[in-house]
Amino acid sequence: MRNLDKRLFETLYQQYFRELYLYVYSLCGQKSMTEDILQETFLKAFTALKDSHTNMRAWLYMVARNLCYNWMKKEKSLIFSEHVGLGEGIPAGHEDILKKIICNEERRELWEALEQLSEQKREILVLQYFGGFRQKEIAAMLKLTPENVRVLAYRAKKELKTYLEVKGYDV
Protein backbone atom coordinates (compact mmCIF):
# COMPACT_ATOMS: atom_id res chain seq x y z
CA MET A 1 0.00 0.00 0.00
CA ARG A 2 1.33 3.44 -0.91
CA ASN A 3 2.19 5.93 1.83
CA LEU A 4 -0.62 8.28 0.75
CA ASP A 5 -3.12 5.42 1.02
CA LYS A 6 -1.97 4.65 4.55
CA ARG A 7 -2.34 8.28 5.58
CA LEU A 8 -5.82 8.43 4.03
CA PHE A 9 -6.79 5.28 5.90
CA GLU A 10 -5.52 6.69 9.20
CA THR A 11 -7.44 9.91 8.57
CA LEU A 12 -10.64 7.99 7.82
CA TYR A 13 -10.22 5.96 10.97
CA GLN A 14 -9.60 8.97 13.19
CA GLN A 15 -12.37 11.00 11.61
CA TYR A 16 -15.16 8.39 11.54
CA PHE A 17 -14.46 5.81 14.24
CA ARG A 18 -16.49 7.48 17.00
CA GLU A 19 -19.58 8.19 14.92
CA LEU A 20 -19.48 4.71 13.37
CA TYR A 21 -19.13 3.24 16.83
CA LEU A 22 -22.29 5.04 17.97
CA TYR A 23 -24.15 4.02 14.82
CA VAL A 24 -23.25 0.33 14.98
CA TYR A 25 -23.84 0.24 18.72
CA SER A 26 -27.29 1.71 18.16
CA LEU A 27 -28.04 -1.19 15.81
CA CYS A 28 -26.70 -4.10 17.81
CA GLY A 29 -26.49 -2.83 21.41
CA GLN A 30 -23.44 -4.92 22.22
CA LYS A 31 -20.01 -3.44 22.86
CA SER A 32 -17.95 -6.45 21.77
CA MET A 33 -20.00 -6.96 18.61
CA THR A 34 -19.64 -3.26 17.77
CA GLU A 35 -15.88 -3.43 18.17
CA ASP A 36 -15.63 -6.55 15.99
CA ILE A 37 -17.82 -5.04 13.28
CA LEU A 38 -15.81 -1.82 13.23
CA GLN A 39 -12.56 -3.75 13.03
CA GLU A 40 -13.91 -5.63 10.02
CA THR A 41 -15.32 -2.43 8.48
CA PHE A 42 -11.98 -0.66 8.60
CA LEU A 43 -10.18 -3.79 7.37
CA LYS A 44 -12.49 -3.80 4.34
CA ALA A 45 -11.81 -0.09 3.85
CA PHE A 46 -8.08 -0.71 4.02
CA THR A 47 -8.23 -3.50 1.44
CA ALA A 48 -11.09 -2.47 -0.87
CA LEU A 49 -11.91 1.23 -0.68
CA LYS A 50 -10.51 3.23 -3.59
CA ASP A 51 -8.80 6.58 -3.04
CA SER A 52 -11.10 8.04 -5.66
CA HIS A 53 -14.37 6.96 -4.04
CA THR A 54 -16.71 9.96 -3.99
CA ASN A 55 -18.29 9.44 -0.55
CA MET A 56 -16.04 7.40 1.72
CA ARG A 57 -18.10 8.20 4.81
CA ALA A 58 -21.31 6.79 3.31
CA TRP A 59 -19.36 3.76 2.08
CA LEU A 60 -18.10 3.09 5.61
CA TYR A 61 -21.63 3.38 7.02
CA MET A 62 -23.03 0.99 4.41
CA VAL A 63 -20.30 -1.59 5.03
CA ALA A 64 -20.71 -1.32 8.81
CA ARG A 65 -24.50 -1.63 8.49
CA ASN A 66 -24.27 -4.69 6.23
CA LEU A 67 -21.71 -6.36 8.49
CA CYS A 68 -23.88 -5.65 11.52
CA TYR A 69 -26.99 -7.17 9.97
CA ASN A 70 -25.05 -10.16 8.68
CA TRP A 71 -23.54 -10.67 12.14
CA MET A 72 -26.92 -10.42 13.85
CA LYS A 73 -28.43 -12.78 11.30
CA LYS A 74 -25.73 -15.33 12.15
CA GLU A 75 -26.39 -14.83 15.83
CA LYS A 76 -30.15 -14.95 15.18
CA SER A 77 -30.71 -12.17 17.63
CA LEU A 78 -31.79 -8.58 17.52
CA ILE A 79 -31.29 -7.94 21.21
CA PHE A 80 -30.67 -4.38 22.28
CA SER A 81 -29.16 -3.64 25.64
CA GLU A 82 -31.54 -2.20 28.23
CA HIS A 83 -28.99 -0.90 30.66
CA VAL A 84 -26.45 0.88 28.51
CA GLY A 85 -26.59 4.39 27.10
CA LEU A 86 -25.26 5.62 23.78
CA GLY A 87 -21.52 6.03 23.74
CA GLU A 88 -20.55 3.69 26.57
CA GLY A 89 -17.01 2.48 26.21
CA ILE A 90 -15.91 5.60 24.39
CA PRO A 91 -13.66 7.81 26.46
CA ALA A 92 -15.47 10.99 27.45
CA GLY A 93 -13.93 14.43 27.72
CA HIS A 94 -12.89 15.99 30.98
CA GLU A 95 -16.23 16.71 32.65
CA ASP A 96 -16.96 17.18 36.29
CA ILE A 97 -18.86 14.35 37.98
CA LEU A 98 -22.25 16.10 38.14
CA LYS A 99 -22.25 16.88 34.40
CA LYS A 100 -21.23 13.31 33.70
CA ILE A 101 -24.09 11.89 35.79
CA ILE A 102 -26.62 14.17 34.09
CA CYS A 103 -25.24 13.33 30.67
CA ASN A 104 -25.39 9.58 31.36
CA GLU A 105 -28.98 9.89 32.56
CA GLU A 106 -29.95 11.83 29.44
CA ARG A 107 -28.26 9.20 27.26
CA ARG A 108 -30.09 6.44 29.07
CA GLU A 109 -33.43 8.19 28.63
CA LEU A 110 -32.71 8.88 24.97
CA TRP A 111 -31.67 5.27 24.40
CA GLU A 112 -34.81 4.04 26.16
CA ALA A 113 -36.95 6.30 23.98
CA LEU A 114 -35.16 5.19 20.79
CA GLU A 115 -35.72 1.55 21.74
CA GLN A 116 -39.47 2.15 21.57
CA LEU A 117 -39.22 2.86 17.84
CA SER A 118 -39.23 0.26 15.09
CA GLU A 119 -35.76 -0.75 13.94
CA GLN A 120 -36.14 1.16 10.67
CA LYS A 121 -37.29 4.40 12.32
CA ARG A 122 -34.54 4.18 14.95
CA GLU A 123 -31.91 3.67 12.26
CA ILE A 124 -33.15 6.65 10.24
CA LEU A 125 -32.97 8.95 13.27
CA VAL A 126 -29.53 7.68 14.28
CA LEU A 127 -28.21 8.24 10.75
CA GLN A 128 -29.83 11.65 10.52
CA TYR A 129 -28.99 13.11 13.93
CA PHE A 130 -25.93 11.20 15.10
CA GLY A 131 -24.46 10.48 11.67
CA GLY A 132 -25.36 13.83 10.14
CA PHE A 133 -26.57 12.29 6.88
CA ARG A 134 -29.14 14.03 4.68
CA GLN A 135 -32.39 12.24 3.94
CA LYS A 136 -31.32 11.60 0.34
CA GLU A 137 -28.15 9.85 1.55
CA ILE A 138 -30.11 7.80 4.09
CA ALA A 139 -32.56 6.80 1.37
CA ALA A 140 -29.71 5.50 -0.78
CA MET A 141 -28.17 3.57 2.11
CA LEU A 142 -31.43 1.98 3.23
CA LYS A 143 -32.77 1.47 -0.29
CA LEU A 144 -35.82 3.66 0.33
CA THR A 145 -37.16 6.70 -1.45
CA PRO A 146 -36.28 10.10 0.04
CA GLU A 147 -39.99 10.64 0.62
CA ASN A 148 -40.21 7.40 2.66
CA VAL A 149 -37.25 8.53 4.75
CA ARG A 150 -38.87 11.92 5.32
CA VAL A 151 -42.18 10.37 6.40
CA LEU A 152 -40.54 7.74 8.61
CA ALA A 153 -38.33 10.38 10.26
CA TYR A 154 -41.37 12.57 10.91
CA ARG A 155 -43.32 9.66 12.42
CA ALA A 156 -40.33 8.58 14.50
CA LYS A 157 -39.88 12.08 15.96
CA LYS A 158 -43.58 12.25 16.71
CA GLU A 159 -43.44 8.86 18.50
CA LEU A 160 -40.35 9.96 20.46
CA LYS A 161 -42.09 13.17 21.51
CA THR A 162 -45.17 11.28 22.67
CA TYR A 163 -43.08 8.74 24.57
CA LEU A 164 -41.02 11.44 26.31
CA GLU A 165 -44.14 13.48 27.20
CA VAL A 166 -45.71 10.40 28.78
CA LYS A 167 -42.49 9.99 30.79
CA GLY A 168 -42.91 13.52 32.08
CA TYR A 169 -40.40 15.39 29.94
CA ASP A 170 -41.23 18.86 28.67
CA VAL A 171 -40.68 18.47 24.94
Side-chain angles (χ1 to χ4, degrees):
M1 179 165 243
R2 296 186 321 255
N3 211 10
L4 176 65
D5 296 341
K6 186 176 180 182
R7 278 185 268 139
L8 177 61
F9 174 77
E10 289 170 355
T11 300
L12 284 174
Y13 182 85
Q14 290 171 351
Q15 191 169 1
Y16 299 121
F17 177 82
R18 181 176 171 82
E19 69 182 72
L20 279 168
Y21 184 100
L22 292 172
Y23 172 65
V24 172
Y25 187 84
S26 76
L27 295 176
C28 71
Q30 298 176 21
K31 183 180 175 188
S32 62
M33 184 185 291
T34 298
E35 291 167 352
D36 290 343
I37 288 167
L38 286 181
Q39 182 177 8
E40 196 169 336
T41 298
F42 282 104
L43 178 62
K44 284 186 182 287
F46 187 74
T47 59
L49 185 60
K50 306 275 189 241
D51 287 358
S52 60
H53 195 282
T54 56
N55 193 340
M56 294 180 185
R57 181 173 177 246
W59 186 91
L60 287 168
Y61 269 81
M62 286 177 38
V63 169
R65 178 182 188 266
N66 291 338
L67 288 171
C68 185
Y69 284 125
N70 289 342
W71 197 302
M72 288 190 300
K73 193 181 226 181
K74 285 179 196 171
E75 296 289 321
K76 293 183 182 171
S77 69
L78 292 173
I79 300 171
F80 292 89
S81 175
E82 294 179 19
H83 303 291
V84 183
L86 289 172
E88 178 173 297
I90 299 175
H94 299 287
E95 303 172 338
D96 67 1
I97 193 71
L98 183 58
K99 284 183 182 177
K100 197 169 189 174
I101 290 170
I102 292 169
C103 185
N104 285 340
E105 179 63 20
E106 289 171 350
R107 286 180 181 158
R108 189 186 63 71
E109 291 294 332
L110 177 59
W111 182 250
E112 186 178 297
L114 284 169
E115 281 186 315
Q116 305 307 308
L117 299 174
S118 70
E119 184 176 332
Q120 188 177 47
K121 288 176 185 173
R122 178 175 47 248
E123 186 171 7
I124 288 169
L125 289 185
V126 168
L127 285 169
Q128 191 171 9
Y129 292 103
F130 297 106
F133 286 98
R134 295 185 322 264
Q135 290 180 347
K136 186 176 178 181
E137 294 171 312
I138 295 169
M141 280 190 266
L142 302 182
K143 296 180 175 69
L144 298 169
T145 66
E147 181 64 17
N148 278 350
V149 171
R150 186 188 66 74
V151 168
L152 288 167
Y154 172 79
R155 290 177 181 165
K157 289 184 276 187
K158 192 174 178 180
E159 288 175 30
L160 276 178
K161 181 180 179 194
T162 301
Y163 177 82
L164 291 170
E165 285 174 342
V166 167
K167 288 287 195 172
Y169 288 93
D170 186 27
V171 183

